[in-house]
Amino acid sequence: MNIEHKRKILALVIPGLFLQIGCMVLIRILAPNAGNRSAAPPEWISLSLAIGSLIGVLLVIVGLRYYAKAKGYSDVFGLLGLLSCVGVVILAVLPDKTKG
């Protein structure tokens, strides 16, 4: 696998996963307080967490696109990023077509 591809993969997938998971955890922490409308978080916080999660998903998709290309697969395999950590595992298990 190309060193340049490895750098791009690590620079995109790891922050994307942390951003996505972090925003989802924060949404879960703030959600129980939403039952009482007076204690609900402001809408801009909920919206910014949702946008952060979406940006995380996009980073994972782009990173997995590079990972698929580095392993000799089509760019379409980058869409496994929609499955988050499961998509990363699926792509990691696929055999490398560039060897040999």
Side-chain angles (χ1 to χ4, degrees):
M1 189 179 310
N2 189 352
I3 297 295
E4 187 63 32
H5 283 285
K6 282 185 180 181
R7 287 187 190 142
K8 288 180 183 179
I9 292 163
L10 291 175
L12 292 169
V13 173
I14 292 174
L17 285 174
F18 278 123
L19 184 63
Q20 180 184 7
I21 293 170
C23 288
M24 296 303 280
V25 167
L26 286 175
I27 288 172
R28 284 294 190 185
I29 289 172
L30 296 175
N33 297 333
N36 182 2
R37 281 311 283 173
S38 63
E43 286 208 19
W44 67 270
I45 291 177
S46 301
L47 183 61
S48 63
L49 289 174
I51 290 172
S53 181
L54 179 64
I55 290 170
V57 169
L58 293 176
L59 286 174
V60 172
I61 289 172
V62 172
L64 288 185
R65 181 180 154 261
Y66 283 115
Y67 191 36
K69 284 176 75 171
K71 287 186 100 173
Y73 290 97
S74 171
D75 292 347
V76 178
F77 281 92
L79 292 176
L80 288 171
L82 292 172
L83 301 175
S84 189
C85 294
V86 175
V88 174
V89 171
I90 290 171
L91 200 52
V93 171
L94 291 175
D96 194 352
K97 287 184 173 181
T98 59
K99 288 184 181 177

